[in-house]
Amino acid sequence: MHKVLTLLLFFACTFSTVYAQGNYDEDCCIENPACDPCNSFWTDGWSIEGRGAAFIPLSNRFKNVYGDVLPEIQIEINKNIYCDWSIWANVGYLWKNGHSIGLDNKTRFEMAPISLGIKYYYTINDCWKAYLGVGAVYSLLHIHDDSSFVQRNVTKNEFGGVVKLGANYDINCNLYLDIFGDFRFQEFCFHSSSEASVTRNNANLNGFILGVGLGWKFGL
């Protein structure tokens, strides 16, 4: 997974450098549309981004069942609200097949985190902007186990939080590359069930989210 992300990042950066040489318009990329009083709050300063990432959990118990790295895909929408401040909404999906500890029964993990928060951007130069953000997360979890000792299908939902750190590179006035490293706080508690003889362990899903995204700005 780490090698795949490295290759994706290399090709994205190579493409962006070549593309930007012929398409970069310095005048339109320096201006921040949210600082222009003539722009409309509702129609200007929007962007949408597709993201691919590796979720790296901290829990050893979780890693023993599902592995050290899980794939995650995301769609994120950003809206400038004032100069360097933006609000964002994100929907993700991560999944992995694994084997239970002990009896080695098959198990499948799926989670859909929905998050909302705020970002602050710091302009490094005409092409690069770094950002720091925080937000709340509401996650939907589904686990299927091929075991008669625990409940086969479990669905849970819990609140959590996320801290976002990254940098955007403007390929041109609309297209940009996002390199990010987030940290998500997320835990799930399970209780005994009449359908199973063994109570499921609580799930600690705190972990890092490292990846790259490609976005498009609207309303410049």
Side-chain angles (χ1 to χ4, degrees), residues 77-97:
I77 297 175
N78 295 273
K79 174 67 178 79
N80 286 122
I81 54 175
Y82 180 73
C83 291
D84 296 319
W85 292 93
S86 295
I87 55 176
W88 54 269
N90 183 300
V91 177
Y93 175 71
L94 57 157
W95 70 99
K96 192 69 178 289
N97 294 324

Side-chain angles (χ1 to χ4, degrees), residues 100-146:
S100 64
I101 300 172
L103 297 179
D104 204 36
N105 294 313
K106 291 182 179 180
T107 176
R108 180 171 176 81
F109 165 90
E110 296 175 283
M111 189 172 79
I114 304 167
S115 53
L116 179 68
I118 190 167
K119 287 180 185 176
Y120 176 77
Y121 287 87
Y122 175 77
T123 301
I124 300 173
N125 55 39
D126 293 345
C127 296
W128 286 96
K129 283 187 175 181
Y131 64 83
L132 177 66
V134 294
V137 181
Y138 179 73
S139 293
L140 307 174
L141 172 72
H142 178 77
I143 297 177
H144 173 79
D145 285 306
D146 289 337

Side-chain angles (χ1 to χ4, degrees), residues 21 65 71 89 96 219:
Q21 290 177 351
V65 177
K96 192 69 178 289

Side-chain angles (χ1 to χ4, degrees), residues 151 190-196 198-200:
Q151 189 175 347
F190 299 100
H191 305 285
S192 60
S193 170
S194 58
E195 301 178 17
V198 177
T199 301
R200 185 184 300 274

Side-chain angles (χ1 to χ4, degrees), residues 16 23 28 41 44 54 61 66 72 79 90 95 103-104 142 160 180 188 201 206 208:
S16 66
N23 294 274
C28 73
F41 176 85
D44 297 321
R61 181 187 295 275
Y66 296 105
E72 181 168 352
K79 174 67 178 79
N90 183 300
W95 70 99
L103 297 179
D104 204 36
H142 178 77
F180 61 90
F188 290 88
N201 291 307
N206 298 332
F208 293 95

Side-chain angles (χ1 to χ4, degrees), residues 7-190:
L7 288 173
L8 288 174
L9 180 58
F10 171 78
F11 286 119
C13 291
T14 303
F15 165 78
S16 66
T17 302
V18 174
Y19 190 90
Q21 290 177 351
N23 294 274
Y24 187 75
D25 186 340
E26 182 177 349
D27 293 333
C28 73
C29 293
I30 295 176
E31 296 296 331
N32 188 336
C35 294
D36 187 347
C38 297
N39 285 342
S40 168
F41 176 85
W42 299 108
T43 60
D44 297 321
W46 291 90
S47 67
I48 186 169
E49 179 183 331
R51 304 170 120 207
F55 171 64
I56 304 173
L58 297 185
S59 169
N60 289 326
R61 181 187 295 275
F62 186 85
K63 289 190 288 187
N64 287 337
V65 177
Y66 296 105
D68 295 334
V69 180
L70 283 74
E72 181 168 352
I73 55 175
Q74 301 176 355
I75 295 177
E76 183 165 297
I77 297 175
N78 295 273
K79 174 67 178 79
N80 286 122
I81 54 175
Y82 180 73
C83 291
D84 296 319
W85 292 93
S86 295
I87 55 176
W88 54 269
N90 183 300
V91 177
Y93 175 71
L94 57 157
W95 70 99
K96 192 69 178 289
N97 294 324
H99 293 85
S100 64
I101 300 172
L103 297 179
D104 204 36
N105 294 313
K106 291 182 179 180
T107 176
R108 180 171 176 81
F109 165 90
E110 296 175 283
M111 189 172 79
I114 304 167
S115 53
L116 179 68
I118 190 167
K119 287 180 185 176
Y120 176 77
Y121 287 87
Y122 175 77
T123 301
I124 300 173
N125 55 39
D126 293 345
C127 296
W128 286 96
K129 283 187 175 181
Y131 64 83
L132 177 66
V134 294
V137 181
Y138 179 73
S139 293
L140 307 174
L141 172 72
H142 178 77
I143 297 177
H144 173 79
D145 285 306
D146 289 337
S147 172
S148 58
F149 295 102
V150 296
Q151 189 175 347
R152 285 182 176 272
N153 291 286
V154 173
T155 301
K156 293 280 290 184
N157 50 82
E158 293 284 356
F159 284 97
V162 63
V163 176
K164 303 171 76 69
L165 179 66
N168 290 353
Y169 175 80
D170 287 331
I171 299 173
N172 61 22
C173 291
N174 297 101
L175 190 65
Y176 67 93
L177 182 71
D178 185 9
I179 303 171
F180 61 90
D182 303 343
F183 186 86
R184 184 166 53 223
F185 305 89
Q186 188 69 74
E187 296 186 2
F188 290 88
C189 296
F190 299 100

